[in-house]
Amino acid sequence: MAAQQLEIDDTTLFDNLDDRQVEFDGRVDGENYQFAVQYSVIEALRGSQPDGDAEDSFRRYRDPIAQAALTALANGPDRPIIVISENDLDQEAQA
């Protein structure tokens, strides 16, 4: 069985300043999902908080974010939006 892959739709990237997360749509195994990666994940990856450049940082750390998104999806695919937290990043690092 092939490993799951997340196809991120770059046209849907949205920096939600109020909720401190970058939101995006993605496709896994033919199914569409909505994701949100918390700023804390971006901060953990780059070593500093996003300051008006969260979308650029998302693009820079796309691969580890995509892997963490798959971990978050596995923890509950039935949610309307799959929120990617530092816990998902930590689980991916341990895998």
Side-chain angles (χ1 to χ4, degrees):
M1 183 171 135
Q4 284 186 327
Q5 286 193 309
L6 169 62
E7 297 174 41
I8 296 172
D9 181 351
D10 288 325
T11 65
T12 63
L13 283 180
F14 171 68
D15 186 0
N16 185 332
L17 296 170
D18 293 335
D19 291 338
R20 298 187 44 76
Q21 61 190 21
V22 176
E23 299 173 4
F24 62 95
D25 293 344
R27 190 172 181 85
V28 178
D29 293 337
E31 295 290 324
N32 293 320
Y33 297 95
Q34 290 183 304
F35 294 91
V37 60
Q38 297 176 335
Y39 276 13
S40 61
V41 173
I42 295 170
E43 180 178 359
L45 290 168
R46 71 180 237 176
S48 62
Q49 291 184 0
D51 185 21
D53 61 350
E55 286 183 43
D56 289 337
S57 294
F58 176 95
R59 287 183 182 92
R60 189 172 307 122
Y61 297 102
R62 176 189 192 94
D63 291 340
I65 290 171
Q67 290 303 311
L70 290 172
T71 300
L73 179 63
N75 291 332
D78 297 333
R79 296 172 284 167
I81 189 164
I82 309 300
V83 177
I84 306 157
S85 70
E86 282 184 85
N87 290 337
D88 301 312
L89 192 61
D90 292 341
Q91 288 178 17
E92 176 55 33
Q94 295 173 8

